[in-house]
Amino acid sequence: MKLDPSILRALSLDPAATSVSTHGSSGFNSTAKITTTLPNNTRKQFFMKSAPGKAAETMFRGEHASLNAIHHVVPSLCPATLATGVADDGKAFLVTEFLDMSSSSSSSSAAAKGKEHSGMSLAAKLAKLHTTPAPIPDGYSQPMFGFPEPTCCGDTAQPNDYKSSWATFFAENRLLAVLQECEANHGEDDEFRSLVTQIVEAVVPRLLGDEHLNDGKGVVPVVVHGDLWSGNHGKGVIGGEGAVEDVVFDPSACYGHSEYELGIINMFGGFGKGFFEEYHRLCPKTEPVEEYEDRVTLYEL
């Protein structure tokens, strides 16, 4: 397996000291491990995804922005991404810090380097992510709901143009966007369109309206992973250094309502009672609390 010269240039790596090998698997792209020896004789590894086509380019740009948004708030929660683009061979690529999810090797690595654990559980890390206000986008005067790049949930592209209202963003950029994608791929279905329209026009304003949530204060946009289920989190060592941490990967982020994250979590399971108890101690449920389960059910759509 040969590493494309453009990726070597993007990472400023010496081709004579760098190798690449297949690593892991993915349903959407090829995955590999890059291993290099730096000028100071330190061995360093990176993780790479690659795939042909414009759709892959969009997916990787979205994941690049997503990982960096999460890593900026909670560095121990996910690997940082280092480069994305289109290689000389025409394939799109994404390179991140290597995430070592082998418990035996990572434990020994941490012990050898004497690195300390962050001291935070997955619940605590997500609570920190979900209580840190999103940055103000360029050209705006306040935090907005949306994201600087389109992202992909699976292979479905999601538009993330900014909105000042969370209810508007969820209705237009999620529910109606999915409806349009379904109609483009499978043709129009009057019953399906009628159901989605009813939810957008009646349910979303009733449960998510700015004047309704938090006694009329609305919600503050925060970074959400966007596709967090049991298959997108685990334990590992980021970048080959440090202790074994609770980590997440394969995000499809946006700046949204913290409880939006819980829709997919709740739908696929794998997060126990203790997780939710700790999480909500640190990130309280939005008011009105008695409608919490209704909101999470809505976010499962």
Side-chain angles (χ1 to χ4, degrees):
M1 191 174 184
K2 188 176 180 180
L3 190 61
D4 190 282
S6 61
I7 299 173
L8 289 165
R9 293 194 300 270
L11 299 174
S12 301
L13 299 180
D14 178 1
T18 303
S19 63
V20 60
S21 58
T22 301
H23 180 83
S25 61
S26 170
F28 303 104
N29 42 68
S30 300
T31 54
K33 177 170 65 175
I34 301 170
T35 303
T36 192
T37 301
L38 301 177
N40 62 1
N41 288 324
T42 301
R43 184 169 173 269
K44 193 169 183 64
Q45 295 179 324
F46 308 90
F47 178 71
M48 180 179 70
K49 296 180 178 181
S50 62
K54 286 290 185 182
E57 189 177 347
T58 298
M59 179 182 291
F60 293 155
R61 281 203 311 267
E63 186 173 349
H64 175 80
S66 296
L67 284 169
N68 279 341
I70 295 170
H71 187 84
H72 177 74
V73 180
V74 190
S76 64
L77 183 54
C78 74
T81 176
L82 306 172
T84 190
V86 178
D88 292 345
D89 64 4
K91 291 183 179 180
F93 70 88
L94 172 73
V95 180
T96 74
E97 293 180 307
F98 188 73
L99 178 56
D100 185 355
M101 301 188 71
S102 168
S103 59
S104 58
S105 63
S106 56
S107 295
S108 61
S109 171
K113 296 178 182 297
K115 301 289 184 178
E116 293 185 1
H117 189 276
S118 68
M120 300 175 70
S121 64
L122 179 62
K125 291 179 182 182
L126 284 177
K128 181 177 180 181
L129 187 70
H130 293 165
T131 54
T132 302
I136 298 173
D138 292 340
Y140 293 87
S141 60
Q142 63 183 37
M144 301 291 287
F145 298 100
F147 207 57
E149 294 282 351
T151 50
C152 295
C153 191
D155 60 354
T156 301
Q158 301 179 127
N160 288 318
D161 48 299
Y162 289 117
K163 302 288 194 304
S164 60
S165 162
W166 168 244
T168 302
F169 177 86
F170 182 69
E172 296 182 1
N173 296 55
R174 290 300 180 262
L175 298 181
L176 291 176
V178 169
L179 171 64
Q180 292 165 6
E181 183 79 9
C182 289
E183 290 184 339
N185 292 332
H186 306 290
E188 294 186 6
D189 183 313
D190 290 341
E191 182 180 5
F192 181 49
R193 171 168 279 275
S194 175
L195 289 171
V196 174
T197 301
Q198 290 178 56
I199 293 170
V200 165
E201 294 180 352
V203 180
V204 171
R206 168 64 182 81
L207 289 178
L208 306 181
D210 294 334
E211 69 287 347
H212 181 63
L213 295 178
N214 286 326
D215 299 319
K217 298 177 183 177
V219 294
V220 175
V222 298
V223 181
V224 294
H225 178 286
D227 190 19
L228 188 55
W229 61 292
S230 58
N232 281 349
H233 79 87
K235 293 181 181 293
V237 172
I238 298 173
E241 296 184 353
V244 179
E245 295 274 359
D246 285 296
V247 292
V248 299
F249 37 88
D250 293 345
S252 177
C254 70
Y255 301 134
H257 180 201
S258 58
E259 291 177 353
Y260 175 64
E261 194 88 275
L262 307 182
I264 290 181
I265 286 178
N266 191 62
M267 181 164 49
F268 290 101
F271 294 75
K273 180 181 178 182
F275 166 86
F276 286 102
E277 289 177 346
E278 181 182 4
Y279 172 81
H280 282 305
R281 280 199 303 270
L282 301 169
C283 182
K285 297 174 182 177
T286 300
E287 294 287 349
V289 172
E290 60 271 19
E291 295 177 0
Y292 165 80
E293 292 185 1
D294 293 330
R295 292 191 297 270
V296 172
T297 299
L298 176 61
Y299 290 148
E300 292 182 22
L301 298 179

